[in-house]
């Protein structure tokens, strides 16, 4: 029999710090609980234990604390966000049927030691699971230790057997205590021998076998021990023996005193996964949809509702297919179809879904109604009747709620149907309410908003719509949803359909030119190195730069020399090979990502049809994928050439309109800083005016360097930049950069007060908002981790500004689109890049289109400072920008 005994505190700590912030639908932090289960599940699958137990530390002092007051005295208390999850984790273990063991006066390690000792006595095998190395002292023929580590948000583990331990340490596992007695353990405040580190301690144990063997050698003048080390060991002998006692795991814990432990033998701790309704309910409550899938809990039958028999499922409806609590009724004749369409036209709104992802099958749930979902299938209906039904449903005569309205519009438009009549999108609404979630699928939303487990998407949409509508109203987000996000679905769908014309021949020639440049650079780099090598291999490049050419400032990691961009930038002037490597990387990136990448996605109509993502960024900004047209290079000459290949067809032009310094203008407005507002109202160069005020010189005496540094501070303040980062950006010492920032904030006191107040407000409210009430939750501000908390503070500073800019450009897109149509113009939007809009229009409409773009973008809202827009046009994107 195999018993798996887990150090609960060790694993939950690693889970807490290794998994990003997660919250249950009710807002309870859950990242540690989720991470614990995510570590446990694959271990259970790999090792298949027969018995299972989880040991926990207690708050009370242990026998070690009582004997040595300094033991673990430096340990900080458990972070509050983790402490609130401990009872939840224990509740989850109880529901899973896993024995949990804790006993006052003893640590989890001692419990693991006692369980493993019992296994040895009974002839069973034991696997101890922990993230700490202390338990490695217990490894022997019957006891293995599964050591868990977290790297980059993922967990991995190593199974230590006596052979594995011996190979790594060079002595038997039980001698780990002797090692700790000498080197100490700072995490537990075990002192060891002062002045003896790990390397020295390892050498001593390997040479002399044990702590006693080391001190026998100390007393032997012939033993090969340096005098300085002999002196340290002699003076620290008492500390060494105390440390030995502290580091030794106690294996005789009276576990019979633990009320939750049925016995110490593996036989008493037998376990297997039982897929119970209680477990499914717990996973739903915590929002662990992926674990529900991985543990195959979807098919667990929940207790029957009151008034029904719990012994058997309800019989299927004779009129249709039962799906969860919903009757799904197949519509098969013309009379019934007419009745369903009548219900849809008369309903306040109708939930609509496409079960197969295409227009061959349609499910409708009119609301209010009897909750029935009506399924219209091309195979069961007359073709003409089915097509007519699609025309009716996808028209303004049927008000529709759906999931992913933009993509649904793409399908209807491709089939020649209308984009009209959509009144709600459950995915968009859920995104606005919880912008940092990663999953807005219908199963995730049904779990998060507790609408039950009905697998019918139309039924879920029908259930979610009123819940999310009320939630938007409560959060004051109704206008944001109905005036910006939902209308934008149509705008983006039309943009995706139209696409952006690309000059294929020019792009092909550009790629060929890059290939020639790459080949030439490769020859030059290999000549400078003295031999051929793979320039894109960090390992081979590191060998060339730091071992063969002996360049300075090399940083060696476990995998070899670091050759990232920061390292190479610092070496740019040290050897001509470095600049050529940087150029080589640039050209290969341009070739693979843009020249080759864009050619692959040109559609038969000669255009690239990107896909705009509406529920990805936490700030509200749109993102572009397949391909990403918002990331086309603009600064470097070779990169900027790509924009010359995005063109208008013959007889047309591209009109490009771009907000000028929109985020700084929003900072001036939101902060209420009168000096900054006046700088914008003056009409002068804002960065020059800022430099004049910060450096206290007349405007006409501002130098290029002063303006450049003021500009860096202006934009850095928006993003909560540190003095150190600013110093790196502008090439000065951190103290000088700090002085610039202090001078800036002493002049713009409204900005200074805003930076303080918005973070404090975010701590109180747990979120920040834009002028349109877009919300971002900030649980990071309550984190015990300094870096996480600092990230939250930077987001609190920036999100109201960047998010408001996103709201403004989105509303402008809606208004520009509507104005172009209202005036009967042929121009249409083809791309949005953050603060920039591009319209393709006939050449003779260019001037009027530019006027419309300027007017609608500048007048989208009234601020205390003007929004200004620059609009130009040209044959290509490069000419228009």
């Amino acid at each position: 029999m195999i018993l798996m005994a887990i150090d609960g505190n060790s694993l939950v700590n690693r889970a807490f710090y290794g998994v990003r912030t997660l919250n249950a639908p009710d807002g309870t932090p859950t990242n540690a609980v989720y991470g614990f289960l995510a570590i446990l599940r694959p271990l259970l699958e790999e090792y298949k234990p027969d018995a299972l137990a989880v040991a926990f530390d207690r708050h009370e002092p242990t026998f070690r604390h009582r004997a040595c007051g300094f033991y673990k005295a430096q340990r900080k208390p458990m972070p509050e966000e983790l402490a609130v999850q401990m009872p939840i984790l224990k509740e989850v273990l109880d529901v899973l049927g896993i024995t949990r063991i804790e006993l006052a006066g003893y640590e989890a390690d001692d419990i693991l030691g006692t369980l493993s000792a019992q296994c040895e006595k009974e002839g069973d095998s034991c696997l101890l699971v922990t993230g700490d190395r202390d338990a490695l002292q217990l490894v022997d023929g019957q006891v293995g230790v599964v050591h868990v580590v977290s790297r980059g948000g993922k967990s991995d583990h190593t199974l230590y057997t006596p052979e594995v331990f011996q190979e790594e340490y060079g002595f038997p596992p039980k001698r780990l205590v002797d090692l700790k007695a000498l080197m100490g353990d700072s995490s537990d405040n075990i002192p060891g021998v002062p002045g003896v580190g790990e390397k020295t301690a390892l050498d001593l144990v390997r040479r002399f076998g044990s702590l006693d063997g080391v001190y026998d050698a100390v007393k032997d003048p012939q033993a090969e021990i340096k005098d300085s080390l002999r002196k340290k060991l002699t003076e620290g002998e008492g500390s060494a023996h105390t440390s030995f006692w502290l580091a030794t795991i106690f294996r005789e814990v009276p576990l019979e005193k633990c009320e939750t432990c049925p016995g110490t033998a593996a036989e008493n701790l037998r376990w297997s996964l039982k897929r119970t309704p209680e477990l499914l309910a717990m996973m739903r409550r915590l929002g662990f949809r992926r674990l529900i899938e991985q543990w195959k809990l979807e098919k667990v039958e929940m207790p029957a509702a009151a008034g029904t028999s719990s012994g058997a499922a309800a019989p299927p409806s004779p009129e249709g297919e039962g799906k969860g609590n919903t009757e799904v009724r197949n519509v098969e004749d013309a009379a019934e179809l007419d009745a369903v369409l009548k219900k849809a036209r008369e309903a306040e709104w109708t939930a609509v879904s496409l079960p197969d992802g295409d227009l061959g099958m349609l499910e409708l749930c009119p609301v209010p109604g009897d909750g029935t979902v009506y399924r219209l299938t091309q195979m069961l209906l007359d073709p003409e009747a089915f097509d007519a039904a699609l025309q009716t449903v996808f028209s303004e005569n049927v008000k529709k709620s759906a999931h992913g309205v933009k993509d649904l519009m793409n399908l209807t438009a491709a089939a020649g149907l209308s984009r009209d009549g959509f009144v709600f999108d459950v995915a968009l609404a859920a995104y606005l309410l919880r912008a940092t979630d990663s999953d807005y699928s219908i199963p995730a939303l049904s779990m998060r908003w507790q609408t039950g487990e009905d697998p019918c998407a139309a039924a879920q949409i029908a259930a979610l719509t009123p819940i999310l509508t009320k939630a938007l109203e409560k959060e004051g987000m109704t206008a944001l949803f109905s005036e910006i996000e939902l209308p934008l679905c149509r705008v983006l769908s039309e943009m995706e359909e139209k696409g952006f014309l690309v000059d294929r021949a020019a792009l092909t020639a550009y790629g060929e030119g890059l290939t020639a440049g790459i080949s030439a650079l490769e020859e030059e780099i290999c000549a400078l190195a003295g031999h051929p090598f793979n320039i894109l291999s960090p390992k081979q490049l590191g060998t060339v730069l730091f071992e063969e050419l002996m360049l300075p400032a090399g940083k060696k990691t476990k995998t070899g020399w670091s050759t990232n961009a920061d390292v190479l930038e610092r070496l740019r002037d040290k050897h001509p090979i470095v600049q050529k490597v940087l150029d080589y990387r640039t050209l290969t990136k341009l070739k693979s990502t843009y020249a080759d990448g864009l050619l692959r996605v040109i559609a038969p109509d000669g255009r690239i049809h990107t896909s705009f993502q509406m529920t990805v960024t936490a700030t509200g900004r749109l993102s572009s994928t397949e391909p990403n047209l918002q990331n086309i290079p603009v600064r470097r000459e070779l990169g900027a050439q790509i924009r010359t290949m995005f063109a208008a067809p013959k007889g047309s032009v591209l009109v490009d309109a771009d907000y000028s310094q929109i985020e700084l203008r929003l900072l001036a407005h939101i902060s209420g800083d009168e000096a900054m507002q006046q700088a914008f109202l003056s009409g002068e160069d804002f960065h020059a005016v800022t430099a004049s005020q910060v450096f206290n010189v007349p405007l006409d005496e501002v130098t290029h360097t002063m303006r450049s540094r003021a500009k860096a501070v202006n934009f850095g303040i928006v993003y909560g930049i540190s003095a150190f980062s600013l110093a790196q950006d502008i090439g000065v010492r951190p103290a000088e950069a700090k002085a610039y920032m202090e001078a800036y904030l002493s002049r713009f006191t409204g900005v200074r007060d805003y930076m303080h107040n918005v973070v404090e407000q975010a701590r109180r409210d747990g979120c920040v908002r834009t002028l349109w009430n877009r919300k971002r939750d900030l649980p990071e501000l309550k984190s015990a981790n300094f870096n996480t908390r600092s990230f939250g503070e930077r987001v609190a500073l920036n999100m109201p500004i960047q998010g408001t800019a996103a709201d403004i450009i989105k509303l402008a897109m809606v208004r520009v689109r509507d104005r172009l149509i209202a005036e009967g113009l042929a121009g249409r939007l083809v791309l949005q890049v953050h603060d920039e809009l591009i319209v393709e229009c006939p050449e003779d409409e260019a001037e009027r289109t530019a006027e419309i773009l300027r007017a609608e973008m500048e007048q989208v809202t009234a601020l205390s400072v003007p929004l200004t827009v620059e609009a130009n046009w040209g044959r290509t994107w490069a000419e228009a920008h």
Side-chain angles (χ1 to χ4, degrees), residues 3-12 36 39-40 43-44 52-56 93 98-99 101 108-109 111-112 115 127-130:
L3 166 67
M4 178 178 282
I6 299 166
D7 184 338
N9 288 80
S10 173
L11 247 64
V12 80
F36 184 98
I39 293 171
L40 176 61
L43 293 178
L44 296 175
L52 192 59
V54 180
F56 288 100
L93 294 174
I98 298 173
T99 299
I101 308 173
D109 276 350
I111 294 171
L112 265 57
L115 291 173
L127 285 175
L128 305 178
V129 179
T130 180

Short mmCIF file of all heavy atoms in Angstrom, two decimals, residues 3-12 36 39-40 43-44 52-56 93 98-99 101 108-109 111-112 115 127-130:
data_model
loop_
_atom_site.label_atom_id
_atom_site.label_comp_id
_atom_site.label_asym_id
_atom_site.label_seq_id
_atom_site.Cartn_x
_atom_site.Cartn_y
_atom_site.Cartn_z
N LEU A 3 1.00 5.26 0.88
CA LEU A 3 0.41 6.43 1.53
C LEU A 3 1.10 7.68 1.01
O LEU A 3 2.33 7.75 1.01
CB LEU A 3 0.58 6.34 3.05
CG LEU A 3 0.31 7.65 3.82
CD1 LEU A 3 -1.16 8.04 3.73
CD2 LEU A 3 0.75 7.52 5.29
N MET A 4 0.31 8.64 0.55
CA MET A 4 0.85 9.95 0.18
C MET A 4 0.49 10.92 1.31
O MET A 4 -0.69 11.15 1.59
CB MET A 4 0.28 10.44 -1.15
CG MET A 4 0.80 11.83 -1.54
SD MET A 4 0.19 12.39 -3.15
CE MET A 4 1.24 11.44 -4.25
N ALA A 5 1.51 11.45 1.97
CA ALA A 5 1.31 12.39 3.08
C ALA A 5 1.85 13.75 2.64
O ALA A 5 3.00 13.87 2.21
CB ALA A 5 2.03 11.91 4.33
N ILE A 6 1.02 14.78 2.76
CA ILE A 6 1.31 16.09 2.18
C ILE A 6 1.52 17.14 3.27
O ILE A 6 0.73 17.21 4.22
CB ILE A 6 0.16 16.53 1.25
CG1 ILE A 6 0.00 15.53 0.10
CG2 ILE A 6 0.37 17.93 0.72
CD1 ILE A 6 -1.29 15.68 -0.67
N ASP A 7 2.57 17.92 3.12
CA ASP A 7 2.79 19.08 3.99
C ASP A 7 1.90 20.21 3.49
O ASP A 7 2.23 20.92 2.54
CB ASP A 7 4.27 19.49 3.95
CG ASP A 7 4.58 20.62 4.92
OD1 ASP A 7 3.65 21.36 5.30
OD2 ASP A 7 5.76 20.79 5.27
N GLY A 8 0.72 20.36 4.12
CA GLY A 8 -0.28 21.31 3.63
C GLY A 8 0.20 22.74 3.61
O GLY A 8 0.00 23.47 2.63
N ASN A 9 0.88 23.19 4.67
CA ASN A 9 1.34 24.58 4.72
C ASN A 9 2.38 24.86 3.66
O ASN A 9 2.37 25.92 3.01
CB ASN A 9 1.92 24.89 6.10
CG ASN A 9 0.86 24.99 7.16
OD1 ASN A 9 0.38 23.97 7.66
ND2 ASN A 9 0.45 26.20 7.51
N SER A 10 3.27 23.92 3.44
CA SER A 10 4.31 24.11 2.43
C SER A 10 3.71 24.26 1.04
O SER A 10 4.04 25.18 0.29
CB SER A 10 5.28 22.93 2.46
OG SER A 10 6.19 23.01 1.39
N LEU A 11 2.79 23.36 0.70
CA LEU A 11 2.20 23.40 -0.64
C LEU A 11 1.31 24.61 -0.85
O LEU A 11 1.34 25.23 -1.91
CB LEU A 11 1.40 22.12 -0.91
CG LEU A 11 2.02 21.22 -1.99
CD1 LEU A 11 3.37 20.72 -1.51
CD2 LEU A 11 1.10 20.05 -2.31
N VAL A 12 0.53 24.98 0.16
CA VAL A 12 -0.39 26.10 -0.02
C VAL A 12 0.39 27.41 -0.14
O VAL A 12 -0.02 28.33 -0.84
CB VAL A 12 -1.44 26.15 1.11
CG1 VAL A 12 -0.89 26.78 2.38
CG2 VAL A 12 -2.68 26.91 0.64
N PHE A 36 -3.20 24.82 -4.89
CA PHE A 36 -2.99 23.59 -4.13
C PHE A 36 -3.58 22.39 -4.87
O PHE A 36 -2.94 21.36 -5.05
CB PHE A 36 -3.63 23.74 -2.75
CG PHE A 36 -3.40 22.57 -1.83
CD1 PHE A 36 -2.40 22.61 -0.88
CD2 PHE A 36 -4.20 21.43 -1.90
CE1 PHE A 36 -2.18 21.52 -0.02
CE2 PHE A 36 -4.00 20.35 -1.06
CZ PHE A 36 -2.97 20.40 -0.11
N ILE A 39 -1.71 21.50 -8.04
CA ILE A 39 -0.48 20.73 -7.78
C ILE A 39 -0.83 19.29 -7.43
O ILE A 39 -0.19 18.33 -7.87
CB ILE A 39 0.33 21.38 -6.63
CG1 ILE A 39 0.86 22.75 -7.05
CG2 ILE A 39 1.48 20.47 -6.20
CD1 ILE A 39 1.48 23.54 -5.91
N LEU A 40 -1.88 19.13 -6.60
CA LEU A 40 -2.24 17.80 -6.09
C LEU A 40 -2.74 16.86 -7.18
O LEU A 40 -2.35 15.69 -7.23
CB LEU A 40 -3.31 17.96 -5.00
CG LEU A 40 -3.89 16.67 -4.42
CD1 LEU A 40 -2.79 15.83 -3.76
CD2 LEU A 40 -4.99 16.99 -3.42
N LEU A 43 -0.23 14.91 -9.24
CA LEU A 43 0.53 13.98 -8.38
C LEU A 43 -0.29 12.73 -8.10
O LEU A 43 0.25 11.62 -8.09
CB LEU A 43 0.90 14.67 -7.07
CG LEU A 43 1.91 15.82 -7.17
CD1 LEU A 43 2.15 16.43 -5.80
CD2 LEU A 43 3.22 15.35 -7.79
N LEU A 44 -1.58 12.91 -7.89
CA LEU A 44 -2.46 11.75 -7.66
C LEU A 44 -2.51 10.87 -8.90
O LEU A 44 -2.50 9.63 -8.79
CB LEU A 44 -3.86 12.22 -7.28
CG LEU A 44 -3.99 12.98 -5.95
CD1 LEU A 44 -5.42 13.48 -5.78
CD2 LEU A 44 -3.57 12.10 -4.78
N LEU A 52 -4.25 8.72 1.64
CA LEU A 52 -3.91 10.13 1.46
C LEU A 52 -4.18 10.89 2.76
O LEU A 52 -5.20 10.66 3.43
CB LEU A 52 -4.76 10.72 0.33
CG LEU A 52 -4.40 12.09 -0.22
CD1 LEU A 52 -2.97 12.12 -0.76
CD2 LEU A 52 -5.38 12.47 -1.34
N ALA A 53 -3.27 11.79 3.12
CA ALA A 53 -3.46 12.64 4.29
C ALA A 53 -2.72 13.95 4.07
O ALA A 53 -1.68 13.99 3.39
CB ALA A 53 -2.95 11.96 5.56
N VAL A 54 -3.26 15.03 4.63
CA VAL A 54 -2.63 16.35 4.54
C VAL A 54 -2.38 16.85 5.96
O VAL A 54 -3.31 16.88 6.79
CB VAL A 54 -3.51 17.36 3.78
CG1 VAL A 54 -2.82 18.71 3.71
CG2 VAL A 54 -3.81 16.85 2.37
N ALA A 55 -1.14 17.22 6.25
CA ALA A 55 -0.77 17.70 7.58
C ALA A 55 -0.64 19.22 7.56
O ALA A 55 -0.16 19.81 6.57
CB ALA A 55 0.55 17.06 8.02
N PHE A 56 -1.06 19.86 8.65
CA PHE A 56 -0.97 21.31 8.77
C PHE A 56 -0.28 21.70 10.07
O PHE A 56 -0.36 21.00 11.08
CB PHE A 56 -2.38 21.94 8.76
CG PHE A 56 -3.06 21.90 7.42
CD1 PHE A 56 -4.02 20.94 7.14
CD2 PHE A 56 -2.75 22.84 6.45
CE1 PHE A 56 -4.66 20.90 5.91
CE2 PHE A 56 -3.38 22.80 5.21
CZ PHE A 56 -4.34 21.84 4.94
N LEU A 93 -10.81 19.94 1.38
CA LEU A 93 -10.24 18.62 1.69
C LEU A 93 -11.28 17.73 2.36
O LEU A 93 -11.35 16.52 2.08
CB LEU A 93 -9.00 18.78 2.58
CG LEU A 93 -7.80 19.47 1.94
CD1 LEU A 93 -6.70 19.69 2.97
CD2 LEU A 93 -7.27 18.67 0.76
N ILE A 98 -10.46 13.73 2.11
CA ILE A 98 -9.03 13.57 2.41
C ILE A 98 -8.80 13.87 3.89
O ILE A 98 -9.20 14.93 4.38
CB ILE A 98 -8.17 14.50 1.54
CG1 ILE A 98 -8.35 14.15 0.05
CG2 ILE A 98 -6.70 14.42 1.94
CD1 ILE A 98 -7.67 15.12 -0.89
N THR A 99 -8.17 12.97 4.58
CA THR A 99 -7.89 13.17 6.01
C THR A 99 -6.91 14.33 6.18
O THR A 99 -5.87 14.38 5.53
CB THR A 99 -7.29 11.90 6.62
OG1 THR A 99 -8.22 10.84 6.49
CG2 THR A 99 -6.97 12.12 8.09
N ILE A 101 -4.65 16.39 9.16
CA ILE A 101 -4.12 16.12 10.49
C ILE A 101 -3.37 17.35 10.99
O ILE A 101 -2.50 17.88 10.28
CB ILE A 101 -3.17 14.90 10.49
CG1 ILE A 101 -3.85 13.69 9.82
CG2 ILE A 101 -2.72 14.56 11.89
CD1 ILE A 101 -2.93 12.51 9.63
N ALA A 108 3.86 20.29 10.89
CA ALA A 108 3.44 19.36 9.84
C ALA A 108 4.55 18.37 9.51
O ALA A 108 4.29 17.19 9.25
CB ALA A 108 3.03 20.14 8.58
N ASP A 109 5.82 18.82 9.54
CA ASP A 109 6.95 17.92 9.28
C ASP A 109 6.96 16.74 10.27
O ASP A 109 7.26 15.60 9.89
CB ASP A 109 8.27 18.67 9.41
CG ASP A 109 8.64 19.39 8.13
OD1 ASP A 109 7.97 19.16 7.11
OD2 ASP A 109 9.59 20.19 8.15
N ILE A 111 4.41 15.47 11.81
CA ILE A 111 3.30 14.57 11.47
C ILE A 111 3.68 13.68 10.30
O ILE A 111 3.43 12.46 10.31
CB ILE A 111 2.04 15.39 11.17
CG1 ILE A 111 1.58 16.12 12.44
CG2 ILE A 111 0.92 14.51 10.63
CD1 ILE A 111 0.48 17.13 12.21
N LEU A 112 4.33 14.29 9.27
CA LEU A 112 4.79 13.49 8.13
C LEU A 112 5.80 12.44 8.58
O LEU A 112 5.79 11.29 8.13
CB LEU A 112 5.41 14.40 7.07
CG LEU A 112 4.49 14.84 5.92
CD1 LEU A 112 3.26 15.57 6.45
CD2 LEU A 112 5.26 15.75 4.96
N LEU A 115 3.89 9.61 10.33
CA LEU A 115 3.17 8.76 9.37
C LEU A 115 4.14 7.86 8.61
O LEU A 115 3.86 6.68 8.37
CB LEU A 115 2.37 9.64 8.40
CG LEU A 115 1.17 10.38 9.00
CD1 LEU A 115 0.58 11.35 7.97
CD2 LEU A 115 0.09 9.39 9.46
N LEU A 127 4.99 8.25 0.42
CA LEU A 127 5.47 9.38 -0.38
C LEU A 127 5.13 10.65 0.37
O LEU A 127 3.95 10.92 0.65
CB LEU A 127 4.80 9.40 -1.75
CG LEU A 127 5.27 8.37 -2.78
CD1 LEU A 127 4.39 8.47 -4.03
CD2 LEU A 127 6.73 8.60 -3.14
N LEU A 128 6.14 11.42 0.72
CA LEU A 128 5.93 12.69 1.41
C LEU A 128 6.01 13.81 0.38
O LEU A 128 7.00 13.90 -0.37
CB LEU A 128 7.00 12.89 2.48
CG LEU A 128 7.13 11.75 3.51
CD1 LEU A 128 8.26 12.05 4.49
CD2 LEU A 128 5.82 11.53 4.24
N VAL A 129 4.99 14.64 0.32
CA VAL A 129 4.93 15.72 -0.67
C VAL A 129 5.12 17.05 0.04
O VAL A 129 4.36 17.40 0.95
CB VAL A 129 3.56 15.71 -1.41
CG1 VAL A 129 3.51 16.85 -2.42
CG2 VAL A 129 3.35 14.38 -2.10
N THR A 130 6.12 17.80 -0.37
CA THR A 130 6.45 19.05 0.30
C THR A 130 7.24 19.96 -0.63
O THR A 130 7.85 19.49 -1.59
CB THR A 130 7.25 18.79 1.59
OG1 THR A 130 7.56 20.03 2.22
CG2 THR A 130 8.53 18.03 1.29
#
